[in-house]
Amino acid sequence: MAAKILIVTGDAAESLEVMYPYQRLREEGYDVHIAAPARKKLQFVVHDFEQGFDTFTEKPGYTWPADLAFSEVDPGQYVALVIPGGRAPEYLRNDPELRKILKSFFDADKPIAQICHGPLLTAAIGGLSGRRVTAYPALELDMQTAGATFQDAEVVVDGMLVSARSWSDHSGWMREFLTVLRAKAPVT
């Protein structure tokens, strides 16, 4: 049986930040499950930059079913966690079931990949204190407030925590995450 990886997300997650790790990790041989507040079809979004805008724009993206609800997750069944960005982390950080899941992964020192606005979730459980991270650059103050040292880099690895800024950093993000993952939880 293949080792399992959990992706935690919800509506308004960035499409590429969910689908790229989902497909890349399956390609590597891992069994990947998507968890959300409820089992339902999720509506992802596409963030892009357009001339004349001070920040990114948002358009409807892919839809994809959640395999399970946060309340159904047994973190002990999973070897690693992926936290996509988009707007989903803004409201997901308030979910007590998700906070329990996140804390379990940190407490067990399992590999965690986070990208873009995903670090808002790890900040919500105090998981960034004393760590080096990157995130979407507009979150620099949020990361510092959470006790992290923010680095504006393609990817930052701090122990089992692998961070990236945005979907444009996918290659480096997954390359470094797979290095950590293969050492800690190789495909069986």
Side-chain angles (χ1 to χ4, degrees):
M1 181 186 287
K4 295 183 200 175
I5 296 177
L6 184 66
I7 297 177
V8 292
T9 194
D11 289 323
E14 163 56 52
S15 290
L16 288 173
E17 293 172 3
V18 177
M19 299 311 298
Y20 180 77
Y22 178 80
Q23 292 172 338
R24 179 64 189 94
L25 294 166
R26 286 174 45 95
E27 177 184 47
E28 193 71 17
Y30 291 94
D31 185 11
V32 183
H33 297 164
I34 295 176
R39 281 187 192 228
K40 68 173 203 159
K41 186 192 306 187
L42 298 168
Q43 176 64 62
F44 301 142
V45 297
V46 173
H47 289 149
D48 207 354
F49 294 91
E50 294 185 28
Q51 188 172 355
F53 282 74
D54 292 329
T55 189
F56 55 82
T57 61
E58 183 174 282
K59 298 168 185 67
Y62 297 111
T63 59
W64 198 263
D67 297 306
L68 60 165
F70 295 147
S71 63
E72 299 172 305
V73 172
D74 174 1
Q77 302 257 325
Y78 296 91
V79 299
L81 178 68
V82 176
I83 307 170
R87 279 187 301 113
E90 293 175 8
Y91 69 91
L92 291 177
R93 62 185 163 177
N94 296 311
D95 188 302
E97 292 294 327
L98 177 55
R99 288 195 307 267
K100 284 191 257 182
I101 294 167
L102 296 169
K103 185 163 177 13
S104 177
F105 277 89
F106 272 93
D107 289 349
D109 199 30
K110 292 181 180 179
I112 299 171
Q114 59 183 10
I115 190 166
C116 193
H117 285 71
L120 290 173
L121 295 178
T122 53
I125 62 156
L128 300 183
S129 183
R131 292 186 174 266
R132 293 176 301 105
V133 299
T134 194
Y136 186 70
L139 297 183
E140 180 176 359
L141 292 177
D142 300 276
M143 298 299 96
Q144 292 169 347
T145 299
T149 300
F150 178 83
Q151 297 176 334
D152 188 5
E154 176 186 50
V155 64
V156 173
V157 179
D158 186 326
M160 294 291 115
L161 183 63
V162 181
S163 307
R165 295 174 299 198
S166 71
W167 54 262
S168 60
D169 297 330
H170 274 164
S171 297
W173 181 50
M174 278 294 109
R175 182 173 41 254
E176 294 300 327
F177 184 57
L178 283 166
T179 298
V180 169
L181 198 53
R182 288 175 185 136
K184 180 83 173 191
V187 174
T188 55

